[in-house]
Amino acid sequence: MNWITNYMRPRINSIFSRREMPENLWTKCDECGTMLFHRELSLNLNVCTSCGHHMNIAPRARFQALFDAGIFSEVEVPAPKADPLHFRDQKKYPDRLKAAQRATGEKEAMLVATGDIGRTPIVAVAQDFSFMAGSMGMYVGNAIIAAAETAVKLKRPLILFSAAGGARMQEGILSLMQMPRSIVAVQMLQEAGLPYIVVLTHPTTGGVTASYAMLGDVQIAEPGALICFAGPRVIEQTIREKLPEGFQRAEYLLEHGMLDRVTPRPNMRDELITITRMLLNLPPAIAGDLPPPTLVQNEPETPAPAAAEPKPVSAKPAPGPKAKVKK
């Protein structure tokens, strides 16, 4: 029996029985200011349940919601030379990379994976805006080429989710060279006759928009995504005019013919299944034909070795010690 909980006054009791509440249980929507419970927000794929505002989502979480039963296999991307220019601003470039890796838990700003959506095999690529603003460096260029080569080898369509602030300034001209490299990768898909679908998320800007992000056979965007080369603030300062409302947003670009669709994130998977199967001349997917949900497993587990069969036990009694024979 605890005398504090049983005999003390409620006010004193509440001091001793107070529990620590985690600080990351609630997220405030940047658009409407609504406080959203983290589990509810996660189930809605980081889309505000009040106003529909699309927040950033990590590539791994996006892939778990995209692929059948959340199962996918990562594609190995060749690692480029670290800090080729020995760049330093307020921090050294390697220190910035290590800080981004600790914050996101990923190697770099792009994740490449293979798997099935609606029982349709695909190759998918996604940029992580949380990793140095998803900036395009040599690793991103290697990732796009690896994804294109994997798609051509497996004869699968490629779906790319873009989210970037442009080229990575810490790699200078080497980051700009990834623009023609990525265009060559897209050309490989076109020559192989494979679909290339781009999903533009918020924000997609700079050299990414000027290269692989606008070369898809089908261009889809999430609602409210900023898609541009130079930002609206730079344009206003240059032309000294007020820009129209919603300028360079997904809905504005759809209205002016630069996009094919604007699709909310919760509906994106079904949209991609329909478009992918249509481009591959496959029949429509059957909703009830999807595999049952299983645990997320990025790599196949190594099967356990088979147990050895027990040897039959003889019923004959064990032989005793040999008798000595006199000569």
Side-chain angles (χ1 to χ4, degrees):
M1 183 179 292
N2 191 337
W3 67 275
I4 294 178
T5 58
N6 289 293
Y7 297 103
M8 298 298 289
R9 294 182 179 179
R11 187 174 179 181
I12 301 177
N13 184 18
S14 64
I15 296 174
F16 286 97
S17 62
R18 185 176 299 165
R19 295 181 179 180
E20 294 288 337
M21 291 295 293
E23 297 180 357
N24 58 347
L25 290 180
W26 298 88
T27 302
K28 184 177 180 180
C29 176
D30 299 331
E31 191 70 20
C32 65
T34 303
M35 298 300 294
L36 305 167
F37 187 52
H38 73 105
R39 189 173 299 172
E40 182 181 0
L41 183 63
S42 178
L43 291 175
N44 206 37
L45 301 179
N46 281 17
V47 178
C48 177
T49 55
S50 178
C51 66
H53 174 63
H54 284 55
M55 307 177 190
N56 291 334
I57 183 171
R60 200 170 295 274
R62 186 186 290 275
F63 284 170
Q64 289 175 359
L66 175 69
F67 289 105
D68 292 348
I71 301 174
F72 60 89
S73 300
E74 294 186 39
V75 175
E76 191 68 24
V77 177
K81 182 179 179 180
D83 195 15
L85 304 180
H86 303 287
F87 189 93
R88 177 170 185 169
D89 48 284
Q90 294 178 346
K91 290 183 181 179
K92 292 181 180 180
Y93 181 36
D95 295 340
R96 288 193 181 276
L97 284 176
K98 291 177 183 178
Q101 289 168 351
R102 286 194 300 268
T104 61
E106 300 291 346
K107 294 180 182 178
E108 253 284 353
M110 186 165 271
L111 183 66
V112 186
T114 61
D116 296 349
I117 57 169
R119 294 194 182 275
T120 308
I122 67 161
V123 178
V125 191
Q127 282 181 276
D128 189 356
F129 191 78
S130 300
F131 195 105
M132 295 185 68
S135 51
M136 177 180 60
M138 291 187 293
Y139 186 95
V140 170
N142 290 349
I144 296 174
I145 292 176
E149 290 176 345
T150 304
V152 171
K153 179 181 177 181
L154 300 178
K155 300 187 184 304
R156 297 184 178 185
L158 177 61
I159 300 177
L160 184 142
F161 297 86
S162 65
R168 187 170 295 178
M169 68 175 186
Q170 288 86 354
E171 296 183 12
I173 190 64
L174 298 175
S175 65
L176 297 179
M177 290 172 62
Q178 308 313 309
M179 296 172 64
R181 290 185 75 210
S182 63
I183 293 173
V184 172
V186 175
Q187 185 66 28
M188 291 168 51
L189 296 169
Q190 293 178 352
E191 292 176 356
L194 297 171
Y196 174 50
I197 302 171
V198 178
V199 180
L200 300 110
T201 69
H202 177 77
T204 300
T205 62
V208 173
T209 309
S211 55
Y212 58 86
M214 297 302 292
L215 295 177
D217 299 316
V218 179
Q219 298 285 137
I220 309 175
E222 292 183 343
L226 176 65
I227 304 165
C228 61
F229 180 73
R233 186 186 308 170
V234 176
I235 297 175
E236 280 190 346
Q237 292 175 354
T238 302
I239 65 175
R240 301 184 184 280
E241 290 184 14
K242 185 68 176 176
L243 298 175
E245 186 177 355
F247 183 69
Q248 294 180 327
R249 295 288 173 171
E251 293 77 8
Y252 183 90
L253 298 182
L254 176 65
E255 184 180 348
H256 288 78
M258 290 189 66
L259 298 176
D260 298 306
R261 306 277 288 180
V262 174
T263 305
R265 190 178 298 161
N267 304 334
M268 188 66 70
R269 169 181 152 86
D270 294 336
E271 186 88 1
L272 291 174
I273 291 173
T274 301
I275 293 175
T276 302
R277 295 183 70 86
M278 187 182 301
L279 294 176
L280 293 174
N281 293 322
L282 296 175
I286 301 174
D289 190 37
L290 299 181
T294 56
L295 292 176
V296 176
Q297 178 180 335
N298 295 345
E299 296 180 0
E301 294 182 358
T302 305
E309 296 182 0
K311 295 181 179 180
V313 181
S314 175
K316 190 184 293 185
K322 292 183 179 180
K324 294 183 179 179
V325 180
K326 292 183 179 180
K327 296 184 178 179

